[in-house]
Amino acid sequence: MKSGQKGRLYALVRLDLRLLLMGLLTVLLGTAAVITARAMAGAGSVDIPIVMYHSVLKDRAYHGKYVISPAEFENDILYLKEHGYTTILMEDLINYTNGGELPEKPILLTFDDGYYNNYLYAFELAKRYKVKFVISPIGRYADQYSESGETNAYYTHATWEQLREMTGSGLVEVQNHSYDMHRQQEGAQGAKQRPGEPDKDYRERLTSDISKAQEAFRENLGKAPSTFTYPFGAMSKSTPGIIKELGFSASLICREKISAVTRDPESLYGLGRFLRESGMSSKEFFEKRMKLSP
């Protein structure tokens, strides 16, 4: 091989080595960036246990899957206090994704449907023990019983006046559970899309109902909810996207899981909850059902 050819060959080899080293460096830097991003996300991750309650009644004949006694709710509060848990609200989780802080052992207590007995029993206990809870009323029934003025622990729902009293205490936060979608309607449950319903019609129907509820909350309570609580936990493929488009910062579902909330606001959608049934002790519910550390 002539000297000129050897020079060109050496130059090509050096060029290939430089390109190889640059490629390896790019891969290493990319891997490091991914690892760093994951570490940053993990560093801010907090497990958030959420309890889902419905009705609270003294009458044992009604106790079951969706009805507990005031004593059971009180025992839950005492258990959590004894074991160092702090009740928080959705606004605390939203603030956390914006750089705020959370207590060492946070937990959310939520009440679906907005029954009058939540005001009658749960709110009284919350005031006594200084604990917080989230209540998600059905807008239609808040309107209905505000107009009629009827109060019955067995079936009526909280009025706007009662909801104002609860939120005014600083212990209770109201969230959106739809205006009138908490029912089975034309083959679809809750906020789900009906069989054969065009996407455009579904979007308009869902938007109209939820927006009507938002306006009712804003008008009667002075503030629109930040979170959508899915009726029955039911949804269709497009529902979560519509909920985000409507401006909600978070959503609550009925799947039993402990959700990890990070500094990423996206982690606030689809937060799982554990249904609190009657008939089991607080220790059994929290330690065996929810797998919480005592």
Side-chain angles (χ1 to χ4, degrees), residues 2-219:
K2 296 181 179 180
S3 60
Q5 292 176 323
K6 287 182 180 180
R8 286 194 297 272
L9 178 61
Y10 292 150
L12 289 171
V13 169
R14 287 196 298 272
L15 178 61
D16 287 343
L17 286 173
R18 283 199 297 271
L19 291 173
L20 178 61
L21 289 172
M22 288 175 64
L24 287 173
L25 182 60
T26 300
V27 171
L28 290 172
L29 289 173
T31 302
V34 170
I35 292 173
T36 301
R38 288 176 178 172
M40 288 176 66
S45 179
V46 180
D47 287 340
I48 304 295
I50 307 178
V51 186
M52 176 171 55
Y53 299 95
H54 289 82
S55 194
V56 185
L57 291 172
K58 290 183 176 180
D59 192 339
R60 291 183 180 180
Y62 288 86
H63 294 168
K65 190 172 184 179
Y66 299 108
V67 183
I68 65 169
S69 69
E72 286 173 319
F73 183 56
E74 183 174 17
N75 287 337
D76 285 356
I77 292 173
L78 293 173
Y79 175 94
L80 294 172
K81 281 186 165 291
E82 180 183 350
H83 293 86
Y85 286 90
T86 301
T87 53
I88 62 172
L89 301 174
M90 289 303 302
E91 67 177 357
D92 297 309
L93 291 184
I94 294 170
N95 288 339
Y96 179 73
T97 65
N98 293 320
E101 297 301 324
L102 289 172
E104 184 177 352
K105 296 174 76 173
I107 191 166
L108 269 162
L109 307 181
T110 68
F111 284 84
D112 281 14
D113 307 338
Y115 291 105
Y116 166 67
N117 57 48
N118 296 171
Y119 169 79
L120 184 64
Y121 298 120
F123 181 47
E124 289 304 310
L125 289 168
K127 289 189 293 184
R128 183 187 306 174
Y129 292 105
K130 298 296 184 290
V131 296
K132 300 177 180 180
F133 67 79
V134 174
I135 186 170
S136 300
I138 302 164
R140 170 192 171 188
Y141 295 120
D143 275 347
Q144 178 181 327
Y145 291 106
S146 293
E147 184 177 345
S148 71
E150 183 181 8
T151 56
N152 187 301
Y154 290 89
Y155 62 84
T156 66
H157 292 244
T159 64
W160 291 118
E161 182 179 353
Q162 291 157 357
L163 291 169
R164 278 194 295 273
E165 182 183 344
M166 287 192 280
T167 57
S169 71
L171 300 173
V172 179
E173 179 185 69
V174 171
Q175 300 298 353
N176 192 321
H177 202 36
S178 84
Y179 186 81
D180 190 21
M181 302 191 88
H182 197 280
R183 55 195 175 94
Q184 189 80 18
Q185 45 184 337
E186 298 182 28
Q189 187 181 46
K192 289 189 72 172
Q193 190 168 359
R194 296 167 180 164
E197 183 178 21
D199 292 344
K200 180 176 180 294
D201 292 351
Y202 170 63
R203 176 180 291 273
E204 290 177 355
R205 181 170 63 86
L206 183 65
T207 298
S208 176
D209 180 277
I210 295 174
S211 297
K212 183 176 182 179
Q214 286 290 82
E215 184 56 36
F217 290 124
R218 187 182 293 108
E219 180 181 339

Side-chain angles (χ1 to χ4, degrees), residues 249-267:
S249 300
S251 62
L252 297 170
I253 61 176
C254 297
R255 180 183 169 191
E256 296 196 338
K257 64 174 183 175
I258 302 291
S259 298
V261 172
T262 68
R263 297 295 185 179
D264 182 359
E266 288 294 314
S267 66

Side-chain angles (χ1 to χ4, degrees), residues 266-283:
E266 288 294 314
S267 66
L268 296 177
Y269 296 102
L271 298 176
R273 299 182 293 164
F274 287 78
L275 175 63
R276 176 53 158 122
E277 303 177 36
S278 180
M280 64 177 70
S281 69
S282 298
K283 180 180 177 66

